[in-house]
C-alpha cells in the first residue's frame, strides 16, 4: 500500500539512561553481545536517569523546507515522527544489564529488578509527557506501521479538532520478547504492571512480537484497550479461535526462514501458510511476512509468498 504522503521526521537526539551502552561484535554488522553497563546495582544505579529528547529545531525546519521544494504538487508533505518502536521495557533493561543478568535478576536480584523496571517505566512515561506537552506526536492510525506488524487503520480513534495529538489519540504498543523463556508468573509480577501503566494512556493497544502470547494470555488479556496481538511462529496458532476469537486482531506470522534461500522450497512455504490459515480460522486474522533481510538474494520470494498465502486463504475461506 502506498499513500500520497511524504513524512518528514524531526532531527533529534536523546541523552540516554546515564551510562554508556556497550556491545561487542565478532563480525562487523553481525550479531553482538551486550556487555553490562550496569555491572553492580549498588555502585551505578544512582547514576541512571531518564532520557531527555533534544530536538534540533533549525535542522528539522530545513528538512521540512527541502521536502516541500522537492515534493509539493506531487505528494502531501507532513511532519510525522515515529518516536518509538516499542514502549516495552525489556530491550532497555538488556542494553543496561546484558541478557544473562536480565534473565537472572528476577530470581537473584528481585528488589533491584523492580527498581530498574520502575526507572525504565517512569522514563517511558516521562518521554510521553514531553512529547504531548510539546505537540510532537502524530497519529499512528491509517497506513502507519503499528505494533510489531500490520497497519493502524481504525475508525475507533478520532482526534479532537483544534488540539495537538495526545497518546489518547493513538495506538500503544508493548512487547516482552526477551522474557520468552521465563515463566508466565514472572511476566505477571515484574513486567505486566509496568506495561499496564504505559498502555492505559492509549486509545487502543497492541501486544507482543516474537514471544509466544498464549502461555501468558491470562495476563496479556488484562492489558488496557488491547486490540491487536502478535501470534509469532513460536505461538500455538490453534489457540487463536478460542483465545482471541472475534475480539482481537491476530497478527499471524509464519516463519521467514524458507524465504532466506535463493531457491525457496514452495512446498514448505505452502504447508506453513496452510497451517496458519487452517489453525487460526475463526479469528480476525492478518497474515504477515516480516523479519526478512536478504531473501536469499531473490526478492521474488516475497511476492511469491504473498501469492501462496492468498491461495491458501481462498482455499480455506472460499
Amino acid at each position: 500500500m502506498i499513500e500520497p504522503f511524504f513524512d518528514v521526521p524531526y532531527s533529534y537526539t536523546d541523552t540516554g539512561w546515564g551510562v554508556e551502552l556497550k556491545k561487542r561484535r565478532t563480525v562487523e554488522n553481525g550479531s553482538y553481545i551486550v556487555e553490562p553497563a550496569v555491572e553492580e546495582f549498588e555502585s551505578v544505579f544512582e547514576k541512571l536517569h531518564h532520557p531527555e529528547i533534544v530536538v534540533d529545531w533549525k535542522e528539522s525546519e530545513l528538512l521540512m523546507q527541502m521536502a516541500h521544494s522537492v515534493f509539493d504538487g506531487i505528494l502531501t508533505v507532513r511532519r510525522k515522527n515515529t518516536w518509538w518502536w516499542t514502549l516495552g521495557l525489556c530491550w532497555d533493561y538488556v542494553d543496561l544489564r546484558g541478557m544473562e543478568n536480565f534473565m537472572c535478576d528476577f530470581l537473584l536480584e528481585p528488589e533491584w529488578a523492580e527498581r530498574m523496571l520502575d526507572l525504565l517505566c517512569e522514563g517511558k512515561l516521562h518521554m510521553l509527557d514531553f512529547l504531548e506537552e510539546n505537540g510532537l506526536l502524530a497519529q499512528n492510525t491509517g497506513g502507519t506501521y503499528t505494533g510489531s506488524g500490520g497497519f493502524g487503520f481504525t475508525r475507533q480513534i478520532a482526534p479532537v479538532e483544534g488540539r495537538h495529538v495526545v497518546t489518547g489519540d493513538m495506538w500503544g504498543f508493548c512487547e516482552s520478547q526477551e522474557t520468552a523463556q521465563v515463566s508466565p508468573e514472572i511476566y505477571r509480577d515484574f513486567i505486566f504492571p509496568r506495561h499496564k501503566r504505559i498502555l492505559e494512556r492509549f486509545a487502543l493497544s497492541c501486544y507482543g512480537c516474537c514471544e509466544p502470547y498464549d502461555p501468558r494470555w491470562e495476563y496479556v488479556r488484562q492489558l488496557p484497550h488491547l486490540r491487536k496481538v502478535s501470534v509469532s511462529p513460536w505461538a500455538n496458532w490453534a489457540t487463536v479461535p478460542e483465545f482471541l476469537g472475534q475480539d482481537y486482531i491476530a497478527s499471524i506470522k509464519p516463519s521467514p526462514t524458507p524465504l532466506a534461500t535463493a531457491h525457496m522450497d514452495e512446498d514448505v512455504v505452502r504447508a506453513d501458510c496452510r497451517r496458519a490459515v487452517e489453525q487460526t480460522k475463526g479469528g480476525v486474522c492478518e497474515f504477515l511476512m516480516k523479519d526478512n533481510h536478504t531473501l536469499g538474494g531473490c526478492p521474488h520470494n516475497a511476492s511469491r509468498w504473498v501469492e501462496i498465502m492468498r491461495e491458501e486463504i481462498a482455499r480455506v475461506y472460499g
Side-chain angles (χ1 to χ4, degrees), residues 90-114:
C90 300
W91 190 344
D92 293 289
Y93 197 121
V94 170
D95 277 348
L96 291 166
R97 281 283 286 161
M99 192 67 192
E100 292 83 357
N101 288 329
F102 170 76
M103 295 290 285
C104 294
D105 282 349
F106 300 120
L107 298 178
L108 302 180
E109 302 279 4
E111 294 183 4
W112 280 112
E114 296 269 10

Side-chain angles (χ1 to χ4, degrees), residues 36-89:
V38 180
E39 294 192 53
E40 295 183 358
F41 286 112
E42 293 278 1
S43 59
V44 180
F45 192 81
E46 297 304 321
K47 298 179 182 179
L48 300 179
H49 57 67
H50 301 155
E52 300 289 343
I53 291 173
V54 181
V55 179
D56 187 329
W57 296 104
K58 183 177 180 180
E59 185 174 291
S60 297
E61 184 55 32
L62 287 173
L63 288 173
M64 180 63 83
Q65 292 174 9
M66 186 182 300
H68 278 295
S69 69
V70 174
F71 293 108
D72 277 354
I74 304 171
L75 299 171
T76 299
V77 175
R78 62 183 182 178
R79 178 75 74 189
K80 188 167 185 178
N81 204 92
T82 301
W83 295 99
W84 63 84
W85 170 69
T86 177
L87 292 165
L89 310 176

Side-chain angles (χ1 to χ4, degrees), residues 132-150:
E132 279 191 345
E133 292 164 4
N134 290 276
L136 297 173
L137 293 172
Q139 271 197 288
N140 56 359
T141 53
T144 303
Y145 185 88
T146 304
S148 64

Side-chain angles (χ1 to χ4, degrees), residues 12 34 38 40 57 59 79-80 94 99 109 114 119 122 135 176 191 197 210 229 240 247-248 278 290 303 311:
Y12 74 98
V34 174
V38 180
E40 295 183 358
W57 296 104
E59 185 174 291
R79 178 75 74 189
K80 188 167 185 178
V94 170
M99 192 67 192
E109 302 279 4
E114 296 269 10
L119 173 78
E122 293 292 343
S176 185
I191 311 300
R197 287 188 63 194
C210 288
V229 179
V240 166
D247 296 324
Y248 309 92
E278 289 180 345
K290 55 172 294 184
S303 57
E311 290 168 4

